Amino acid sequence: MNAAIAIAVAYLIGSISFAVVVSRLFGLSDPRTYGSKNPGATNVLRSGNKAAAALTLVGDGFKGWLAVWLAMVYQDQFNLSDTTVALVGLAVFVGHLWPVFFKFVGGKGVATALGVLLAINVWLGLATFATWLIVAYAFRYSSLAALIASLFAPFYYGLLFGANFTLLAVAVMSALLIYRHAQNIANLMSGKESRIGSKKK
């Protein structure tokens, strides 16, 4: 019972779309109506408001970290298994992708996934983030950086902790992230993908 509650709460936390909430607070257009139409920090940046984009990035990352951190802190008190903690991480990520509060239209999960990884292990999160930074700096494509970082995340986890259920959860999260970037992959292949910092159209 406690496991089911923890997973449900994580999903609800993930369903808070900071791109939409922050944009409303700043009086900006709904990020689902311009650019990539993705409610995420990169698309909010296309509005030209860097502060709103930064808050979106922090908020989406924080909710991923918070859900897993809470599960780990109260793991013994509520008798939550390591498998449940891993499922909590997956649930908060799924909540971001398909948020119940926003008609199941969510983002692609890059920042939230990073928050989950940082909560699981700081070095895991930092290694994945460093991979994103290197690719983003080199090619100026947020989507390409996310795709490559998501491929490396399970590899980094395996190096640090070996094979277990959490590795499977990280791999599923990576697969979902890649799935959500299907249009970006097509745009990259056709040369139509927007670069980081490009203005909304």
Side-chain angles (χ1 to χ4, degrees):
M1 184 65 178
N2 287 340
I5 292 173
I7 293 168
V9 169
Y11 171 76
L12 293 176
I13 292 173
S15 290
I16 302 171
S17 179
F18 279 90
V20 178
V21 173
V22 170
S23 292
R24 288 177 181 174
L25 290 175
F26 277 74
L28 304 174
S29 299
D30 190 320
R32 295 169 294 182
T33 63
Y34 63 81
S36 65
K37 295 182 171 57
N38 174 61
T42 300
N43 204 37
V44 173
L45 183 61
R46 293 189 176 103
S47 71
N49 194 312
K50 294 180 179 179
L55 281 176
T56 299
L57 181 67
V58 172
D60 284 343
F62 176 72
K63 70 183 181 185
W65 175 87
L66 178 65
V68 177
W69 179 79
L70 287 173
M72 295 173 72
V73 167
Y74 293 103
Q75 185 173 5
D76 293 335
Q77 182 176 341
F78 293 103
N79 195 29
L80 303 177
S81 66
D82 290 340
T83 296
T84 297
V85 174
L87 288 173
V88 162
L90 190 55
V92 69
F93 178 74
V94 169
H96 178 81
L97 301 188
W98 294 287
V100 66
F101 302 132
F102 296 92
K103 300 180 179 179
F104 303 101
V105 179
K108 295 173 183 174
V110 178
T112 302
L114 177 60
V116 170
L117 296 177
L118 284 169
I120 292 173
N121 180 267
V122 172
W123 293 112
L124 171 64
L126 289 178
T128 306
F129 181 54
T131 302
W132 186 94
L133 279 178
I134 291 168
V135 178
Y137 179 79
F139 298 98
R140 304 297 295 172
Y141 288 114
S142 176
S143 57
L144 180 63
L147 289 165
I148 293 178
S150 68
L151 290 173
F152 273 90
F155 172 72
Y156 292 145
Y157 183 92
L159 283 180
L160 289 169
F161 305 108
N164 54 32
F165 187 83
T166 303
L167 173 60
L168 176 61
V170 172
V172 170
M173 190 165 63
S174 296
L176 287 173
L177 191 148
I178 293 170
Y179 165 75
R180 292 288 286 184
H181 280 77
Q183 185 59 53
N184 300 90
I185 294 172
N187 290 342
L188 285 166
M189 294 179 68
S190 63
K192 298 178 181 178
E193 183 72 349
S194 298
R195 292 181 183 270
I196 295 174
S198 62
K199 300 297 184 181
K200 70 178 181 181
K201 295 181 180 179

